[in-house]
Amino acid sequence: MKKNIIVLISGRGSNLKSIINATKDKNYPASISLVISDNKNALGLRIAQNNDINTLIVEREAFTNIYSFEKNLIEKITFHSPYLICLAGFMRVLSNKFIDKFRGKIINIHPSLLPKYKGLNTHEKAINARDEYAGCTVHYVTEQLDSGKIISQQKIRIEKNDNIETLSKKVLEVEHKIYPEAIKLLLS
Ligand code: GRF
């Protein structure tokens, strides 16, 4: 029996797509019961709909404050009682209350070799620092940004002629591999 997970997105949804593709294997331990976006224009919503997955738009602007926004989010998520809440390009920092409610169940993919380069512009930072390697990390979400326990990580070499664009493309390919694998690892 597959375990249900919820994916939270804000945009393009390429990681969502890689998870959806993985769930199509009958031996994969997870299925997606709901995709939530905080942006009604997120491309990922269309990807979910094209794959007959329930979607929900919960936009911050529709609520008077962050607490009522998250209260709504928590209610919707609790209704599905997911095994995991997978952030995939979800561009919002979650409050302590939210994290506490689902502690140990919220995971995220981040495009750097954490603990290096938390936050945004990770590829630019790696190139500017003349790092030999870049990569991506799947980790638990805790109160501190991009600081939760690491679940899996993969590195790739930064070539001399790499720029932000080429590097982000290479790292994204690896993200699409390790995120579905990490979910499988956690639910098997
Ligand atoms: C990815 O690079 C992910 O690591 C970061 O946000 C980006 C989301 O891309 N957290 P997509 O929406 O999955 O295509």
Side-chain angles (χ1 to χ4, degrees):
M1 179 73 171
K2 291 192 180 226
K3 294 170 175 158
N4 73 306
I5 62 173
I6 290 181
V7 183
L8 267 59
I9 61 165
S10 297
R12 185 176 53 183
S14 70
N15 278 289
L16 166 67
K17 193 173 177 193
S18 74
I19 300 168
I20 292 175
N21 287 341
T23 62
K24 289 180 180 168
D25 181 338
K26 69 176 187 342
N27 295 318
Y28 193 77
S31 68
I32 303 172
S33 57
L34 181 66
V35 170
I36 301 178
S37 174
D38 70 334
N39 165 17
K40 65 176 185 310
N41 298 317
L43 282 176
L45 283 170
R46 232 177 295 155
I47 298 173
Q49 285 151 5
N50 289 340
N51 285 278
D52 297 320
I53 295 169
N54 287 327
T55 58
L56 187 71
I57 298 163
V58 184
E59 289 192 300
R60 167 67 185 85
E61 297 73 37
F63 299 88
T64 43
N65 55 47
I66 181 81
Y67 301 105
S68 50
F69 165 75
E70 284 195 351
K71 186 167 176 277
N72 190 280
L73 213 52
I74 289 171
E75 277 168 16
K76 298 285 162 41
I77 293 174
T78 304
F79 178 78
H80 287 260
S81 41
Y83 282 81
L84 284 178
I85 299 158
C86 305
L87 311 188
F90 186 66
M91 298 305 288
R92 201 162 276 285
V93 175
L94 295 161
S95 76
N96 294 359
K97 196 173 165 213
F98 184 97
I99 288 163
D100 205 36
K101 174 86 190 156
F102 301 109
R103 190 168 299 283
K105 288 190 171 182
I106 316 170
I107 64 173
N108 180 44
I109 179 117
H110 182 75
S112 82
L113 295 171
L114 290 174
K116 254 190 168 177
Y117 311 138
K118 296 168 184 173
L120 298 173
N121 306 320
T122 54
H123 304 308
E124 187 181 346
K125 289 173 188 162
I127 286 175
N128 288 345
R130 299 184 186 282
D131 287 351
E132 203 181 346
Y133 293 99
C136 50
T137 307
V138 180
H139 65 94
Y140 283 104
V141 174
T142 60
E143 284 80 355
Q144 270 73 47
L145 183 71
D146 300 328
S147 300
K149 188 175 166 221
I150 291 173
I151 298 159
S152 75
Q153 188 168 68
Q154 191 167 325
K155 61 180 183 179
I156 60 160
R157 187 179 287 281
I158 304 178
E159 304 297 342
K160 255 205 213 95
N161 55 359
D162 267 328
N163 52 43
I164 298 172
E165 202 185 317
T166 60
L167 185 60
S168 57
K169 206 166 156 226
K170 286 183 201 171
V171 172
L172 193 63
E173 263 172 46
V174 182
E175 290 183 37
H176 296 161
K177 189 170 134 306
I178 72 163
Y179 208 5
E181 281 175 4
I183 294 168
K184 185 176 179 183
L185 180 85
L186 293 175
L187 296 183
S188 294

